[in-house]
Amino acid sequence: MDLLLSQHLLNWLLQGSILALVALGFSLLFGVLNVIHFSHGDVSIVGPFVALAVMQILLVEILPHTWASALILAAIVAIVATGCLGVLVDWLVVRRFRTAPAMMALVATVALGAIIRELIRMLYPQGSNPQPFPELISAQLEFGKLSVPISTLFMFAVSVLMVAGLYVIMHRTPLGIRIRAVAQDRDIARLMGIHPNRIFAATFFIASAVGAIGGIFYASSAGVIRFDFGIQFGLIGFSAAVIGGLGSMHGAIIGSFVLAAIDTVAQATLADGAAYRLVFAFLLVILVLVLRPSGLFGKPILEKV
Amino acid sequence: MTAEPTADRLTGGVAQSVAIVAGLEIGGAALLRLFLLSEKTWIVVALLAVFGAAFAVLQLRPRLEERIATAFRQSRLVALLLGFAIVLVYPFLMQGSSYALHLLITAQLYAVLALALNFQLGSANIPNFATAASYGIGAYSSALLAINFGISVWLTLPVAAVVATVFGFVLGFPAMRTRDTYLALVTLAFGIVIHQLLNNFTWTGGPNGLAGIPAPTILGHSFNSPIYLLGYRLPSQANFYYLAAALVALAIVCARLLHHSRVGLAWNALRSNELAARCQGINVVWYKMLAFGVDAFLAAFAGSIYAFYVSYIAPDNFTFLVSVTIMTMVIVGGMDNTFGVIVGAFLLVLLPEKLRIFDDYRLLFVGVIVILFLLLRPQGLFPQRPRSFGDH
């Protein structure tokens, strides 16, 4: 196989898997709450910051020279903490807009995103500056001339596992059945003895925890993280979810890989393709919304008269 | 207007009405002047407290609000002439402070933008996250025409407005297919695409933007030179102050005419129930596209004037966050209430500027305020007043 082509394919795989992790959160939250949680990107980007902080504390204070275990521990703490942040965000803000028009919730979560960014900037030491983020695994696999970073394969594997895990949770566990029941009809679910608020909290935890993994992968593939990366991260993940159809899990995954493919092709063929990535992503979003308003795999909107 | 007051109560004395109007307009202007010129934070906080108290009184005594509304209706001519006079002499009262004038210009331009968005968000309930894009298209069109072709500023204004309106209609096109959240997403995507294109094209100057936009001249008087009048010297910003004030007046006239026309009624019908409106024979698609067009038209004027005022524009002046700020002004002020929207714009421009001691926490502060407002008073400071037919 052509060497350049394989590199592009690997790049595509990496981008698609990272995007899928954040797009899934958008889709899951929209499916259950019918609200666009616009600060999801910013919540997710808290993950790498927590991981970084925990790792620095661990390596300096408690367990020096134990790079691998510190990394794993930091990742776990970050994922759980971000999940809890998601629950907090729901409890403090999003919950209060359940009955308000969808637009109000949208504006509120945009404002919330700004608040989270500012908090990161103020609370993290030297938060205004970009922070270097370590590569998860720096080794490479050599196949003849082609060298494949293990971290790419690792991230892809984790994403596949996460998606599979989400699928199992949503379809095979009581919690998943409850989540889907609330998504389908909140009032009937309540009549069935399901506590919608608890389900919302659980959904926020899952979505934010998965987003945190995406955020950590994003940071480690970029090698650097800054407080305002959440905007772009959220926007691209969000467009992937829209292209696939908000509320549909496999739609979000396919949307992510479609978007990653467009990005990769643009970077490979155009001189300054990277600069135009958001343009292509959002033109595609407009096109999809106009041609198929509910996305490629979303539920069609029925209008009852 | 819950209880129908007796005719006697409602009218009151005409002289009393004139007194109320004069008192409110002069008092408001004086408080705003104090706010603009105050250097100390405690004055700002005290003025905010006064504003809050006045607002609370109006809330607790709805009849008082009715009385004020009647007063303004009865002595409209006095109110208009007095308001005009106040706007005219206001720069003379600024003690030559160019900073205060700059704040006023910014607030006025944002008031125009908020009024433009109000046609959509307030009247027709179309969430548009692309007002900043129309603003940017207007600014860039004017700037490019003036820099590259040396076209007179006064000619670029209408051209920029037409260009932006065309874009507005193009954006309104998907309005045929999408609604609510999905329409909001289309406008959001449009806004980001425009910002990214401005950022990437070479002929728009890329991220560095366009510099050296010539200042307008009128009868040989450049807008960059100070005004000398009757022994007074006004800073050069005063030129743009008057220009922006004229634009605000134009926006208010547009808002009033449209609100009281069939178009405004049709938009309100769309807002309350789109399906019912369609059944009444209202051309839903056309009126939605019209709302996009009007929004873009006014926003482009504001953009052009902004470009000539600061003489330097960059893509980052027209981001998604600017759109959200404009949207916040409409929500805070009150949907479909012209006065409320203007108050919202002034509050959101002036407050962060005056609370400089919180410089590091400004964005945080604005975010918290927005969320609190949405939670505690989602209808805005001044909600839409019921339409009253017959007496105007």
Side-chain angles (χ1 to χ4, degrees):
Chain A
M1 205 158 51
D2 187 33
L3 198 62
L4 200 62
L5 185 67
S6 352
Q7 290 292 2
H8 284 314
L9 276 177
L10 276 177
N11 186 23
W12 171 63
L13 209 61
L14 177 68
Q15 273 198 37
S17 1
I18 295 176
L19 269 185
L21 289 176
V22 72
L24 271 173
F26 273 112
S27 218
L28 192 64
L29 288 171
F30 185 82
V32 178
L33 298 157
N34 228 358
V35 153
I36 294 174
H37 177 43
F38 219 87
S39 46
H40 184 58
D42 299 294
V43 171
S44 304
I45 224 71
V46 170
F49 275 99
V50 174
L52 213 53
V54 170
M55 219 150 67
Q56 269 157 10
I57 294 170
L58 279 180
L59 285 176
V60 174
E61 312 257 327
I62 306 163
L63 306 158
H65 318 302
T66 49
W67 171 257
S69 49
L71 193 68
I72 293 169
L73 206 60
I76 291 171
V77 172
I79 291 163
V80 174
T82 314
C84 293
L85 177 67
V87 176
L88 188 71
V89 157
D90 175 47
W91 187 70
L92 280 179
V93 179
V94 183
R95 160 172 309 195
R96 294 164 210 281
F97 292 95
R98 292 275 141 81
T99 50
M103 190 208 51
M104 294 274 180
L106 189 61
V107 176
T109 53
V110 169
L112 189 66
I115 293 177
I116 295 175
R117 280 194 297 278
E118 287 301 300
L119 284 178
I120 298 177
R121 191 168 69 84
M122 285 188 295
L123 296 180
Y124 199 85
Q126 273 122 41
S128 304
N129 305 328
Q131 314 284 333
F133 199 91
E135 221 176 331
L136 294 180
I137 305 161
S138 48
Q140 309 251 339
L141 281 183
E142 304 287 338
F143 296 105
K145 277 183 186 166
L146 177 71
S147 64
V148 181
I150 295 182
S151 60
T152 302
L153 300 178
F154 172 73
M155 289 179 197
F156 181 66
V158 171
S159 303
V160 171
L161 271 180
M162 288 319 298
V163 170
L166 265 184
Y167 230 83
V168 170
I169 290 179
M170 292 298 280
H171 291 268
R172 294 277 180 274
T173 64
L175 174 67
I177 293 168
R178 290 200 191 107
I179 291 178
R180 286 189 297 141
V182 172
Q184 226 167 51
D185 193 319
R186 206 173 291 175
D187 296 326
I188 304 287
R190 193 195 292 271
L191 289 178
M192 296 290 150
I194 300 171
H195 218 298
N197 275 344
R198 279 184 209 152
I199 296 301
F200 292 138
T203 316
F204 260 94
F205 185 87
I206 296 173
S208 309
V210 173
I213 302 176
I216 293 174
F217 287 179
Y218 182 71
S220 93
S221 71
V224 69
I225 188 81
R226 207 176 56 205
F227 72 99
D228 59 351
F229 275 18
I231 302 182
Q232 182 149 4
F233 188 50
L235 280 177
I236 296 186
F238 164 72
S239 21
V242 173
I243 290 167
L246 281 167
S248 146
M249 264 177 66
H250 52 280
I253 297 161
I254 295 171
S256 307
F257 280 94
V258 168
L259 210 54
I262 289 176
D263 196 28
T264 315
V265 170
Q267 284 195 34
T269 51
L270 292 175
D272 48 357
Y276 285 96
R277 61 191 309 196
L278 278 180
V279 175
F280 289 122
F282 279 94
L283 282 180
L284 189 65
V285 167
I286 295 178
L287 201 68
V288 168
L289 283 176
V290 171
L291 297 180
R292 259 193 79 90
S294 50
L296 294 176
F297 296 93
K299 286 178 288 185
I301 318 156
L302 292 177
E303 190 174 8
K304 286 183 188 148
V305 180
Chain B
M1 226 183 282
T2 44
E4 203 53 51
T6 57
D8 181 47
R9 260 233 186 86
L10 193 72
T11 46
V14 177
Q16 197 190 1
S17 288
V18 173
I20 291 176
V21 166
L24 282 176
E25 288 196 354
I26 294 172
L31 286 180
L32 180 64
R33 176 178 175 277
L34 201 59
F35 185 84
L36 283 168
L37 295 179
S38 70
E39 301 281 336
K40 298 187 183 65
T41 308
W42 69 265
I43 300 182
V44 175
V45 174
L47 283 172
L48 277 183
V50 169
F51 183 78
F55 186 71
V57 168
L58 283 185
Q59 287 303 301
L60 294 173
R61 294 268 179 278
R63 192 153 286 166
L64 199 62
E65 196 183 333
E66 279 316 309
R67 182 69 193 88
I68 292 170
T70 334
F72 271 89
R73 214 169 26 242
Q74 272 185 335
S75 43
R76 177 174 303 150
L77 193 65
V78 177
L80 273 178
L81 286 178
L82 187 62
F84 186 68
I86 289 176
V87 170
L88 217 53
V89 299
Y90 217 56
F92 293 93
L93 306 172
M94 285 295 127
Q95 305 169 342
S97 156
S98 53
Y99 176 59
L101 278 174
H102 166 74
L103 288 186
L104 277 175
I105 295 168
T106 316
Q108 283 176 326
L109 289 180
Y110 269 97
V112 173
L113 289 170
L115 282 172
L117 178 64
N118 186 41
F119 289 120
Q120 298 190 301
L121 189 64
S123 306
N125 197 18
I126 303 169
N128 182 358
F129 283 94
T131 310
S134 305
Y135 183 42
I137 290 171
Y140 268 91
S141 313
S142 292
L144 286 170
L145 284 174
I147 292 177
N148 294 339
F149 303 102
I151 295 174
S152 154
V153 170
W154 309 110
L155 261 177
T156 66
L157 274 177
V159 175
V162 168
V163 171
T165 311
V166 169
F167 271 99
F169 273 110
V170 169
L171 173 61
F173 216 61
M176 282 187 260
R177 299 269 310 175
T178 53
R179 276 201 292 148
D180 302 335
T181 313
Y182 292 97
L183 183 56
L185 298 186
V186 172
T187 61
L188 198 156
F190 179 79
I192 292 170
V193 167
I194 294 289
H195 171 244
Q196 290 291 320
L197 287 179
L198 291 178
N199 213 358
N200 287 328
F201 284 143
T202 43
W203 51 271
T204 58
N208 297 328
L210 295 169
I213 304 164
T217 51
I218 192 164
L219 301 174
H221 171 74
S222 165
F223 270 45
N224 269 348
S225 51
I227 303 178
Y228 292 99
L229 201 69
L230 305 171
Y232 277 97
R233 178 188 178 278
L234 290 177
S236 61
Q237 276 87 351
N239 297 303
F240 285 98
Y241 165 83
Y242 287 120
L243 193 57
L247 187 62
V248 174
L250 175 76
I252 293 175
V253 170
C254 280
R256 278 198 71 85
L257 288 179
L258 281 171
H259 184 76
H260 291 297
S261 72
R262 286 190 73 83
V263 180
L265 264 180
W267 280 338
N268 280 176
L270 273 184
R271 178 182 62 188
S272 38
N273 191 333
E274 189 177 325
L275 197 66
R278 205 187 306 166
C279 293
Q280 295 291 324
I282 291 171
N283 188 341
V284 171
V285 170
W286 164 243
Y287 280 109
K288 276 189 179 177
M289 293 192 40
L290 195 64
F292 276 99
V294 173
D295 168 79
F297 183 79
L298 272 178
F301 268 109
S304 301
I305 293 182
Y306 176 76
F308 291 122
Y309 170 51
V310 296
S311 85
Y312 163 70
I313 50 175
D316 283 348
N317 297 118
F318 313 106
T319 55
F320 166 63
L321 287 178
V322 175
S323 294
V324 175
T325 312
I326 299 168
M327 189 167 265
T328 312
M329 290 168 180
V330 178
I331 293 174
V332 165
M335 303 255 205
D336 215 7
N337 181 324
T338 308
F339 174 70
V341 168
I342 295 174
V343 171
F346 270 72
L347 272 181
L348 272 146
V349 171
L350 299 183
L351 263 191
E353 283 291 335
K354 277 293 163 184
L355 296 174
R356 281 280 176 193
I357 46 159
F358 302 120
D359 212 15
D360 266 359
Y361 307 94
R362 236 162 66 181
L363 268 174
L364 192 70
F365 170 79
V366 172
V368 171
I369 291 283
V370 168
I371 290 182
L372 283 181
F373 242 99
L374 289 170
L375 282 177
L376 302 177
R377 206 177 159 83
Q379 73 273 42
L381 285 174
F382 301 94
Q384 184 187 14
R385 298 179 59 78
R387 287 166 181 276
S388 55
F389 291 99
D391 59 351
H392 55 78

